[in-house]
């Protein structure tokens, strides 16, 4: 599997799913009127992050990311997912 395909799979099968789940949670908090001042800001940030990853998928499909860029992005994503898992354990 190419590094580009690996990155694409990681974004589609993990990152975007987690982001969408979190966005859904934020919408539920807002709908229940239990949000604080940070909830809407967090929602905005997550929606921007989702768009960034979707744009990255477009760049991947257009062949605009080389192997080195893909490796760096995969490492950053894995670090982000690892931090998220550690927070969930606390």
């Amino acid at each position: 599997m190419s590094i580009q395909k690996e990155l694409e799979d990681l974004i589609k099968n993990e990152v975007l799913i987690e982001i969408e789940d979190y966005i859904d949670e934020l919408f539920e908090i807002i709908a229940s009127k239990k949000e604080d001042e940070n909830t809407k800001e967090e929602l905005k940030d997550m929606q921007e992050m989702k768009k960034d990853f979707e744009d990255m998928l477009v760049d991947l499909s257009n062949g605009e990311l080389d192997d080195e860029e893909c490796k760096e992005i995969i490492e950053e994503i894995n670090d982000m997912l690892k931090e998220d898992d550690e927070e969930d354990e606390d």
Side-chain angles (χ1 to χ4, degrees):
M1 175 186 307
S2 74
I3 192 82
Q4 285 84 2
K5 180 68 176 148
E6 184 180 337
L7 177 57
E8 179 183 349
D9 288 348
L10 182 62
I11 292 171
K12 285 181 177 177
N13 300 325
E14 287 192 49
V15 176
L16 286 177
I17 291 170
E18 286 203 23
I19 289 173
E20 289 167 359
D21 287 347
Y22 188 52
I23 287 173
D24 289 345
E25 287 177 33
L26 292 171
F27 273 126
E28 287 174 18
I29 292 168
I30 291 168
S32 68
K33 305 281 190 222
K34 294 180 181 173
E35 81 270 14
D36 60 23
E37 61 200 40
N38 296 323
T39 306
K40 289 183 181 176
E41 186 65 31
E42 182 75 8
L43 176 61
K44 182 178 163 228
D45 291 345
M46 294 308 295
Q47 288 171 323
E48 288 174 10
M49 183 184 293
K50 180 181 176 195
K51 175 150 182 14
D52 291 343
F53 279 109
E54 289 170 340
D55 291 345
M56 200 177 298
L57 288 174
V58 171
D59 291 345
L60 276 168
S61 68
N62 292 334
E64 296 176 13
L65 297 176
D66 65 27
D67 288 358
E68 191 59 38
E69 288 174 303
C70 290
K71 286 178 189 173
E72 289 175 15
I73 294 167
I74 288 171
E75 286 176 17
E76 289 175 23
I77 290 172
N78 285 332
D79 288 345
M80 184 177 71
L81 292 172
K82 185 176 161 190
E83 286 175 18
D84 190 42
D85 286 344
E86 288 171 359
E87 287 176 12
D88 289 346
E89 291 174 4
D90 289 341

